[in-house]
Amino acid sequence: MPLAVYILGVSAFALGTSEFMLTGLLPLIAEDLEVSIPSVGLLVSAFAVGMTVGAPLLAAGTLRLPPRATMAGFLFVFALGHVVGAFTDSYAVLFASRVVSALACAGFWAVGAATAVGLVPPDRRGRAMAVLVGGLTVANILGVPAGALVAQHSSWRMAFWGVAGTAVLALAGVLRVVPRRSPGAARGPQLRPELRAYSSSTVWLALATTSLSSAGVFCTFSYLAPVLTEEAGLPSSWVPGALFLFGIGAFVGITLGGRFADARPFGVLKAGIGGLFALMCAVALAPGPVLMVALVFLLGVAGFVISPALNARVYAVAGAAPTLAGATNVSAFNVGNMVGPWLGGLVIGAGFGYASVGWVGAALCVSAFALVLLSQQADHGTAFPAEAR
């Protein structure tokens, strides 16, 4: 992997820390700003909506701009949004800063993902995306717990300052290491060919697979804490350790997925989603605490082993439209991240218990698996010829 790909991974670490750390800061922010915890929870939703809407729009709007300068600009705005958030005593200003930060994050992902795959040969796209998405998994392992620790012993504002500082370091790395344009790009991408990719049913199949598989993972992940304590009988003091194991599993999964996604993407998708189905069913049965902790680790592995293949599939079927297709895949992930917890909340609210999210996740995985089979059948050898035969 070129050094520039790892720099983009460091940038993803800063972005991911910001996106996920807020859940651990909700009580502190609510107390400091004198608002309710549900009101602060809207900051999480605002970030997700900003990511979903912003990725394709900003990708289209910056299509003709130099990628390096564009990514640096997004990182600067992202850092500035956190500086404003760290200073403000107004909930409205903090809300606006989160929306702006989400848009900058979405814009960076849209351009950064296309840049990462453009820096490597086609047969290494999956590994390049594994490095980029690996920044998110490391954020869950290190960045999010560190943010919570700093907030508890100092202030939630210091956690925001830490994210801003990391983003500035990433910005410096992008300016120094990332080439102005991808080596293979003779000219900048064109909007019309990029938009034409959306006429392909295989692109939409790939995007739908991303959304459904992501929804399946986050339907269960979002309610792991009450599943562990209320259903499996795990002491609440063990929950952070169990979630840390999920992060370790995610890192193992993204590493393995990156190794095999380019050579056997359909195999990785079928094995990973099939594994998720079995694990979701096991979670729904609410086994004892020891087995449940093991399931949490395996959920991390299976949930993230498919990520490089999902990304590689979209870039392969998009052909000459990597930027917008990659941006829309970012939106697809975030749609899944929103829909999955919502569906899980519906069954919990209907009185089926916390463990019932496992059955919902399993159903979503069945749907995603069906789309993988449809995609493999529809593929005529252009995207993954080794597996299409």
Side-chain angles (χ1 to χ4, degrees):
M1 288 292 105
L3 177 60
V5 175
Y6 290 102
I7 294 296
L8 297 178
V10 173
S11 304
F13 170 80
L15 303 176
T17 298
S18 173
E19 182 175 3
F20 298 117
M21 77 174 181
L22 210 64
T23 54
L25 309 182
L26 295 186
L28 299 173
I29 296 175
E31 181 181 0
D32 187 22
L33 299 184
E34 298 180 349
V35 296
S36 67
I37 287 181
S39 295
V40 182
L42 290 176
L43 299 176
V44 179
S45 300
F47 199 97
V49 171
M51 286 284 291
T52 303
V53 176
L57 292 180
L58 289 170
T62 60
L63 203 59
R64 299 290 296 165
L65 299 179
R68 183 179 65 185
T70 304
M71 288 186 291
F74 282 134
L75 286 171
F76 176 79
V77 173
F78 179 82
L80 185 61
H82 285 76
V83 171
V84 171
F87 271 122
T88 188
D89 290 318
S90 166
Y91 172 79
V93 173
L94 180 60
F95 189 95
S97 73
R98 291 303 290 172
V99 173
V100 170
S101 297
L103 291 173
C105 180
F108 179 90
W109 268 105
V111 181
T115 300
V117 298
L119 289 168
V120 298
D123 63 349
R124 292 207 167 197
R125 286 176 172 176
R127 295 188 68 175
M129 287 305 301
V131 173
L132 189 61
V133 180
L136 291 181
T137 63
V138 176
N140 278 292
I141 296 171
L142 299 178
V144 174
L149 191 64
V150 168
Q152 289 174 1
H153 291 83
S154 179
S155 166
W156 65 268
R157 300 176 188 276
M158 291 303 298
F160 272 56
W161 279 110
V163 171
T166 307
V168 170
L169 290 176
L171 188 159
V174 166
L175 290 175
R176 182 170 180 82
V177 177
V178 176
R180 187 172 182 271
R181 290 196 182 276
S182 300
R187 60 192 184 111
Q190 306 292 315
L191 182 59
R192 185 171 296 176
E194 293 264 350
L195 290 174
R196 196 176 297 132
Y198 291 113
S199 64
S200 169
S201 60
T202 55
V203 170
W204 288 107
L205 272 175
L207 294 172
T209 304
T210 295
S211 285
L212 284 171
S213 56
S214 179
V217 172
F218 279 88
C219 174
T220 303
F221 175 74
S222 300
Y223 299 99
L224 270 182
V227 169
L228 289 168
T229 56
E230 302 296 328
E231 302 288 353
L234 195 73
S236 59
S237 59
W238 284 35
V239 171
L243 296 179
F244 176 77
L245 279 179
F246 180 91
I248 295 294
F251 184 78
V252 172
I254 203 77
T255 303
L256 291 175
R259 295 277 179 184
F260 299 106
D262 294 306
R264 298 193 59 80
F266 284 122
V268 171
L269 289 174
K270 288 189 286 188
I273 296 174
L276 279 172
F277 169 78
L279 292 168
M280 300 291 184
C281 292
V283 168
L285 297 175
V290 175
L291 183 55
M292 184 64 83
V293 169
L295 289 175
V296 169
F297 170 77
L298 293 174
L299 277 172
V301 176
F304 280 79
V305 75
I306 60 177
S307 183
L310 290 170
N311 282 296
R313 173 66 180 168
V314 168
Y315 284 109
V317 297
T323 305
L324 282 186
T328 309
N329 205 37
V330 172
S331 296
F333 273 112
N334 280 276
V335 167
N337 295 352
M338 289 186 291
V339 170
W342 173 68
L343 291 175
L346 287 180
V347 296
I348 293 172
F352 291 100
Y354 291 111
S356 62
V357 297
W359 297 124
V360 178
L364 290 167
C365 288
V366 169
S367 301
F369 195 91
L371 292 189
V372 171
L373 296 180
L374 283 175
S375 297
Q376 191 172 23
Q377 184 178 7
D379 192 90
H380 299 297
T382 55
F384 297 115
E387 289 202 306
R389 288 193 292 269

